[in-house]
Amino acid sequence: MDRSWMYNIDRLINGHIVNPDFERPLLEFITFALSKPRFANRGNIRCPCNRPKCRNTTFRDPETVKVHVITEGFVPHYYNWVHHGEPRFSLTGYYNHMTGSNTPVPDYGYDLHGNNHESDEVDVVGPELNAYMIEDDQAPIASTQMLYNILGASPEPIWPGSNESKLSIVSELIHLKARYQIPNACYDDLCRIMQRLMPKDNVMPKNIYETKKLVRDMGLPVQKIHCCRNGCMIYWDCDSELSECKFCGHPRYKDNAGEGSSNRKAYKKMYYFPLTPRLQRLYASEVTAKHMRWHAEHQTDEVGLMCHPSDSLAWKHFDQEHPTFLNETRNVRLGLCTDGFQPFG
């Protein structure tokens, strides 16, 4: 099948009428994607348009996918429909076959895992090449850049000539506060005492507020979620505005403040540490990023020796069942254990 139509710049005639030579194969593409339920989600398919929020990462209904692709075009180099149920192919020969041309296979300089390669024999293991290309002028997103700025300033001494950095001191103080449940007022007094003992040109945080601001900028948030005192429910999402438990009827707040007051205290609350930014931080450093990819890059010399869960039959079975997940080595397999977990402690 010639897929040169995918990047036909004349997909719109007169700016609004759809070119039938583009719309017809587009509908065939959508029909093909819907015929692969393992790669769909309740009748929705991944949108392959070139919008930043789509690009084969977001599931949308077929009609929306059609409109997006017509107006925005396909994400570049998506000749191999691996995110819509098509098996992956070698780029050599396949690229020319799908485009209907004899153009040499392009050398993108990096393979799909970000490693420099010298051969133009590239194995297509992802939806599009440009999603995994490493560009020297590509800036990180704002939250990650903020982390880099903090880590870049981490060697800053607590005062000129000191062997201790500001970040290390703050980290130790936060750890002590959590371990011994130091009240905020006591922490503020401790900071003032430490400031008096240091030279005047120190950068020691003055109080818990400045300390929390420094930690908050590292992009590791925590959320407080109110709970029913009897453990029936949490006040979250569509239940976030309820004032009493919808199961047992127990009031959410104590009676020490009036209705609508911002000072009302809940009977019980839990702390939620969002997991996604913490996993992202493991890829923000070259030191930890290589450990996150080790399951796919390590080599076992001895036959039958299991040195990582990826050597097990269960892991390999999962890879066979989910080839598109396997294709990106940075994907994370997450296991959670709740044995002994106490959310209210």
Side-chain angles (χ1 to χ4, degrees), residues 205-251:
K206 298 178 181 180
N207 47 41
I208 185 63
Y209 173 78
E210 292 188 3
T211 302
K212 285 185 175 181
K213 186 177 184 301
L214 177 64
V215 176
R216 189 185 306 117
D217 290 343
M218 297 187 72
L220 299 177
V222 58
Q223 300 177 22
K224 296 179 182 179
I225 304 177
H226 293 173
C227 316
C228 172
R229 185 176 187 178
N230 298 322
C232 303
M233 59 171 288
I234 62 174
Y235 296 93
W236 181 254
D237 197 20
C238 58
D239 298 329
S240 59
E241 301 299 326
L242 296 180
S243 58
E244 62 180 30
C245 178
K246 61 183 181 181
F247 297 101
C248 67
H250 194 282

Side-chain angles (χ1 to χ4, degrees), residues 269-301:
K269 61 185 175 183
M270 61 177 290
Y271 294 89
Y272 169 57
F273 300 90
L275 186 61
T276 300
R278 285 162 172 80
L279 291 175
Q280 289 173 334
R281 289 295 168 265
L282 296 175
Y283 285 105
S285 168
E286 293 182 359
V287 177
T288 52
K290 65 181 181 181
H291 295 300
M292 295 295 291
R293 303 189 309 268
W294 194 79
H295 66 275
E297 299 174 354
H298 79 284
Q299 296 181 353
T300 304
D301 296 331

Side-chain angles (χ1 to χ4, degrees), residues 300-311:
T300 304
D301 296 331
E302 298 184 30
V303 179
L305 178 64
M306 188 175 74
C307 58
H308 189 274
S310 59
D311 300 323

